[in-house]
Amino acid sequence: MEQTLKKLGIEPLNAGTFDGSWSKVSSGTQISTSSPINGAELAKIATSTDEDYERVIAAASDCFKQWRTYPAPKRGDVVREIGDALRDNKQALGELVTIEMGKILPEGLGEVQEAIDIADFAVGLSRQLYGNTMHSERAQHRMYEQWHPLGNVGVITAFNFPVAVWAWNAMIAAVCGDTVVWKPSEVTPLCAIAVTKIVGEVAKHHGFPALFTLLTGDGPAIGQRMAADRRFPLISATGSCRMGRSVGETVAKRLGRSLLELGGNNAVIVLDDADLELVVRAVLFGAVGTAGQRCTTTRRLIVHNTVLDKVTKRLVEAYKQVPIGNPLESSTLMGPLVNEQAVKAYQQAVARVAAEGGEILYGGRLVEGAASSLYVMPTLVKANAGMDLLKEETFAPILYIVGVDSIEEAIAVQNGVDQGLSSAIFTSDLRKAERFLSHAGSDCGIANVNIGTSGAEIGGAFGGEKDTGGGREAGSDSWKAYMRRQTNTVNWGSDLPLAQGIKFG
Ligand code: UN1
């Protein structure tokens, strides 16, 4: 652990504010971050003061005025170098994700890869920020749309993807000509500091030291302040529905834009003709991966009653074989939960199962003799669709299994929650798969066939409907959220015809 921190320039006490240079560590109050692996303190961080906040916004706003004049493909060059710098640091950064957040190393490395992938995507995008051209109804007129840089983008991220989700926003925002102010989760500040050090060097080298700035807080105060601040035309926030509702309301009050990627309550539907081998593998990754702390984690398994017993038995067998332990060790499949609060949420959910008419089939308790009190057993629950628990997102490895008699019932159960992020169906029947993907099928932002709910590629737009917040990040045309659109009409004739054929005077 020490080696990793050293490689990434993490000190025992770190500045948590970056405005193009790092603030003094003596300024703010200090928070400490510890590893869920063994509870050991990793480092202390000086949080951002009110003055730090103002300095960061001023530096980002100044930087924006320069950065937006820099041609988009050149902005792409800077992002390409950032992708290379992330490649150079992939191992150490992946380790830091694992050490500070607790996901297993292959997932920590995968997360850094996701950041590299979006950098590559953004480089290509920097030459493809296309606007449309329309045919004007007026003679000798040209009409078209262009996309301009937006300004400072405030990026508020959660602990569970402490590198990748910032990168989805930051890499795209940067090629769009925006500056990025990052407020990471107070649970994973070191990941943010390490990333800011790496990308800050590249940005500085190109003369834009305040392109990617950082604010560290202790709790929601800084995020709320950003949400209310008109100097952020866009706030992109990832986290719980509760947080998103509060940020969204505050941003809406000043008529700003928000891009929200909030809670999921993702289901996998298993039909009677499903390839069960694929089901078990996909559900294991989806429900146990990242210890159930992805927004895309599989939380509900909706199974056709004819295969319910078979699927349940196979999953119990598979769950028994999940090695739980130190996420840095290659044999481990599941590490700890991130903190005590997460363990409490897990325990509270487990405690409600019986009262709500469910039955714990496997797990439901802490791992005995573990290196910290944060290791829980992945849990399988026999459930029914009416249980209140199934409507909630508990950020822990608890999978509720529900039996159904038809695809119609399965889709109704799957859609019968407030969240709408990710969903999947396992079937060999093309018609049923298409039914699931149709307008009358899954109501989620992501709907997959014979693939689980988590582990999306960056090339598609990522996000969900309903209480998930409606935002789309990463690939496809998500970039449009980070720019402002302008419609231009140019008259190159010598008359002034009016639209709609109006004669005036
Ligand atoms: C998140 O949990 O906030 O699709 C993001 C996935 C990852 C991203 C998850 N690519 O599971």
Side-chain angles (χ1 to χ4, degrees):
M1 288 194 194
E2 269 163 33
Q3 283 293 322
T4 306
L5 299 184
K6 212 164 147 203
K7 256 187 244 159
L8 293 168
I10 302 293
E11 308 280 345
L13 175 57
N14 303 270
T17 307
F18 182 76
D19 66 357
S21 49
W22 292 94
S23 63
K24 289 197 192 72
V25 287
S26 54
S27 56
T29 52
Q30 291 175 11
I31 55 171
S32 98
T33 176
S34 56
S35 175
I37 297 176
N38 56 8
E41 182 180 283
L42 295 169
K44 288 196 165 61
I45 299 98
T47 59
S48 306
T49 61
D50 289 355
E51 282 146 36
D52 290 334
Y53 179 93
E54 285 303 323
R55 261 191 304 107
V56 163
I57 313 301
S61 302
D62 275 355
C63 182
F64 172 64
K65 290 197 191 105
Q66 304 301 319
W67 181 242
R68 69 178 169 184
T69 67
Y70 205 50
K74 294 203 162 159
R75 302 197 289 252
D77 275 347
V78 177
V79 170
R80 183 171 43 75
E81 284 182 29
I82 287 173
D84 288 344
L86 291 171
R87 277 185 176 86
D88 291 343
N89 288 280
K90 180 176 168 181
Q91 183 66 30
L93 265 181
E95 285 167 12
L96 180 61
V97 170
T98 294
I99 290 168
E100 196 178 30
M101 183 275 164
K103 63 175 76 173
I104 59 170
L105 187 55
E107 291 189 279
L109 293 168
E111 162 151 16
V112 182
Q113 186 59 46
E114 197 161 343
I116 294 166
D117 291 344
I118 197 74
D120 288 355
F121 179 92
V123 175
L125 183 66
S126 71
R127 291 181 185 269
Q128 300 177 74
L129 301 167
Y130 301 137
N132 289 322
T133 307
M134 302 86 181
H135 286 262
S136 171
E137 66 191 55
R138 289 169 280 186
Q140 299 182 322
H141 280 55
R142 184 162 74 86
M143 191 157 67
Y144 67 103
E145 276 178 356
Q146 51 177 339
W147 293 88
H148 291 308
L150 191 60
N152 299 321
V153 176
V155 178
I156 299 170
T157 56
F159 77 88
N160 65 334
F161 275 80
V163 175
V165 171
W166 170 83
W168 291 353
N169 285 280
M171 299 299 96
I172 302 290
V175 295
C176 288
D178 303 329
T179 49
V180 178
V181 180
W182 186 5
K183 206 300 264 174
S185 160
E186 61 273 21
V187 179
T188 50
L190 295 184
C191 289
I193 289 170
V195 167
T196 301
K197 279 185 198 283
I198 292 165
V199 304
E201 280 303 308
V202 179
K204 188 169 154 196
H205 175 74
H206 286 273
F208 301 100
L211 181 54
F212 303 107
T213 48
L214 180 70
L215 289 165
T216 308
D218 182 12
I222 289 180
Q224 277 302 341
R225 187 166 172 183
M226 288 166 74
D229 193 330
R230 295 181 71 88
R231 291 169 293 181
F232 290 105
L234 173 67
I235 296 287
S236 175
T238 307
S240 67
C241 295
R242 198 167 51 88
M243 178 283 295
R245 205 165 270 124
S246 154
V247 167
E249 268 176 30
T250 309
V251 176
K253 225 175 255 167
R254 61 172 172 92
L255 301 180
R257 276 195 225 164
S258 51
L259 196 172
L260 302 175
E261 200 257 282
L262 311 174
N265 191 351
N266 319 296
V268 165
I269 296 175
V270 181
L271 297 185
D272 49 2
D273 58 4
D275 179 334
L276 296 189
E277 189 57 39
L278 293 191
V279 170
V280 172
R281 282 165 53 193
V283 169
L284 207 61
F285 178 65
V288 173
T290 327
Q293 300 170 107
R294 290 191 188 220
C295 56
T296 51
T297 289
T298 309
R299 309 209 176 275
R300 298 175 297 144
L301 189 63
I302 304 166
V303 188
H304 198 282
N305 275 319
T306 53
V307 288
L308 181 61
D309 279 351
K310 216 169 171 185
V311 169
T312 306
K313 265 191 206 123
R314 287 185 67 164
L315 278 175
V316 171
E317 281 314 305
Y319 268 52
K320 279 184 192 159
Q321 281 153 43
V322 173
I324 307 164
N326 186 335
L328 289 167
E329 278 167 21
S330 61
S331 55
T332 303
L333 269 192
M334 199 181 106
L337 289 181
V338 71
N339 57 21
E340 290 294 348
Q341 222 176 310
V343 174
K344 207 181 260 172
Y346 166 88
Q347 286 172 320
Q348 280 167 351
V350 164
R352 281 169 55 192
V353 167
E356 291 194 19
E359 184 194 335
I360 294 187
L361 301 173
Y362 184 79
R365 53 186 171 79
L366 299 190
V367 175
E368 278 160 34
S372 81
S373 54
L374 303 179
Y375 293 80
V376 303
M377 306 265 292
T379 301
L380 288 170
V381 175
K382 186 175 172 186
N384 61 74
M387 289 167 63
D388 284 344
L389 270 172
L390 269 69
K391 309 272 190 267
E392 297 166 22
E393 179 192 45
T394 303
F395 232 52
I398 305 174
L399 181 67
Y400 302 104
I401 308 176
V402 178
V404 290
D405 286 318
S406 66
I407 181 172
E408 281 71 29
E409 189 186 351
I411 291 172
V413 171
Q414 122 85 33
N415 290 346
V417 294
D418 290 335
Q419 309 86 345
L421 180 56
S422 187
S423 59
I425 194 167
F426 281 76
T427 179
S428 304
D429 185 332
L430 176 72
R431 286 178 175 157
K432 289 186 175 141
E434 290 291 342
R435 160 93 180 77
F436 174 74
L437 301 177
S438 77
H439 55 271
S442 166
D443 64 1
C444 292
I446 298 169
N448 297 332
V449 175
N450 295 334
I451 294 176
T453 56
S454 68
E457 303 175 20
I458 56 94
F462 184 95
E465 303 299 333
K466 304 194 289 187
D467 285 9
T468 302
R472 291 297 186 278
E473 295 171 313
S476 186
D477 65 351
S478 306
W479 61 271
K480 289 179 176 172
Y482 302 83
M483 301 198 86
R484 64 183 172 88
R485 185 199 306 239
Q486 188 172 66
T487 303
N488 307 116
T489 310
V490 179
N491 176 3
W492 55 276
S494 45
D495 197 4
L496 194 72
L498 299 177
Q500 295 90 42
I502 292 173
K503 300 276 177 249
F504 194 76

